[in-house]
Amino acid sequence: EGGGVRDDLIVYFLREDFFRLVVNAGTADADVAWLSSLRDARAPRLAIRPRLDFAMIAVQGPNARAKAASVMPPEIAQRALEIGPFFGVDAGSLFVARTGYTGEDGFEIMLPAEHVVALWEGLRIAGVAPCGLGARDTLRLEAGMNLYGQDMDARTSPLESGLAWTVDLESPRDFVGKAALVANPPVRQLVGLLLLDGGGVLRAHQAVRTAQGAGEITSGTFSPTMSRSIALARVPAGVATGDVVEVEVRDKLLRARVVKPPFVRNGAVRVSVE
């Protein structure tokens, strides 16, 4: 109701009467409770059923789709290889989607939890390497994708989180939080930063100094693709792409240039590093 972000869940539209939601594991209980309260008030005939019997493995990377398809039943593999981005294949107990939520292309494979170990072993035999959360974080940050709890949260407007494209304020249709968003135009924005000086790495919560006022880094890392430090930062709305700002890194002020994410897409650098 206050206009903040509850979660950055993924919703799959399978039929008019069947939607599959993939929520953050850390917010799942709160998400289900909140959706259930809305259901009770607005759509009491709607059923919300957590699938605790399901597991998911995300296979992401330049060769991910071919390697993942090699361990699927042939008829499902063929269907999966034909879908475009943001589509899925519903094959009963197996669901294969092509969302690429890490910033890379690939498949997200959902299946009964009792079969997930066998799938994991099959993928490893096919040459799929396990990837840790640190690597996943650099990948999504290179792609300019927000992380819930850092770049957006229940206290922060999507209009100040680079997520205005998800919000329709022009349509007469109402939605939870619309009144608050209309009443509070954004005074901050989420931008990309590319570190220009050496001597440090951009990290979350570092202070940013701009000509328009103070800001703060929400996510930062060292980009392995660019060999430079990059970040997302929430800064005053007047800061423009190309501006040079200063970031407080271990009692030093290092220069960074404001850029428009994504930093990297499909393996290619999208911003100038000069």
Side-chain angles (χ1 to χ4, degrees):
E1 290 76 4
V5 179
R6 280 272 176 181
D7 192 6
D8 56 330
L9 77 169
I10 298 172
V11 183
Y12 295 104
F13 167 52
L14 302 181
R15 298 192 307 266
E16 287 291 343
D17 63 346
F18 181 30
F19 294 76
R20 171 161 286 150
L21 280 59
V22 178
V23 303
N24 273 303
T27 59
D29 291 343
D31 287 351
V32 172
W34 185 70
L35 290 170
S36 297
S37 69
L38 290 179
R39 182 270 315 277
D40 294 344
R42 302 184 180 195
R45 296 175 59 188
L46 179 70
I48 299 175
R49 184 159 63 102
R51 292 300 303 268
L52 303 180
D53 56 322
F54 260 27
M56 180 171 72
I57 295 179
V59 189
Q60 315 275 272
N63 304 309
R65 293 171 60 237
K67 290 186 177 182
S70 71
V71 303
M72 298 178 192
E75 66 278 8
I76 297 176
Q78 183 60 40
R79 292 174 60 194
L81 290 172
E82 292 174 353
I83 61 174
F86 305 106
F87 284 84
V89 170
D90 186 15
S93 62
L94 183 65
F95 183 76
V96 183
R98 189 182 174 187
T99 307
Y101 74 98
T102 62
E104 269 283 3
D105 196 8
F107 287 142
E108 299 83 48
I109 307 171
M110 304 170 213
L111 72 167
E114 61 185 338
H115 301 308
V116 73
V117 172
L119 173 62
W120 177 264
E121 293 300 332
L123 289 168
R124 294 192 66 173
I125 292 171
V128 175
C131 173
L133 290 177
R136 192 282 310 266
D137 195 50
T138 60
L139 189 61
R140 69 91 190 169
L141 192 48
E142 287 185 340
M145 292 182 170
N146 290 14
L147 179 64
Y148 188 80
Q150 287 190 210
D151 310 300
M152 54 184 168
D153 55 38
R155 302 180 303 277
T156 308
S157 161
L159 305 181
E160 296 186 340
S161 304
L163 297 171
W165 61 275
T166 70
V167 179
D168 182 6
L169 298 179
E170 303 301 323
S171 168
R173 181 182 67 85
D174 194 17
F175 56 85
V176 175
K178 183 176 182 180
L181 295 177
V182 171
N184 298 284
V187 297
R188 302 175 299 170
Q189 60 177 324
L190 196 69
V191 301
L193 294 182
L194 176 67
L195 187 62
L196 299 177
D197 293 333
V201 176
L202 302 180
R203 299 293 188 191
H205 307 302
Q206 290 171 342
V208 180
R209 298 184 183 184
T210 81
Q212 288 75 26
E216 184 181 40
I217 288 178
T218 57
S219 291
T221 191
F222 184 82
S223 163
T225 303
M226 302 172 65
S227 296
R228 301 285 287 273
S229 189
I230 60 175
L232 296 177
R234 189 165 285 109
V235 298
V239 175
T241 299
D243 286 356
V244 175
V245 301
E246 292 181 320
V247 182
E248 296 182 12
V249 181
R250 294 184 177 180
D251 300 323
K252 296 181 292 185
L253 289 178
L254 302 182
R255 297 175 306 132
R257 186 171 72 249
V258 177
V259 298
K260 183 178 180 180
F263 301 91
V264 178
R265 175 168 288 172
N266 297 325
V269 176
R270 295 288 297 272
V271 299
S272 173
V273 297
E274 299 302 325

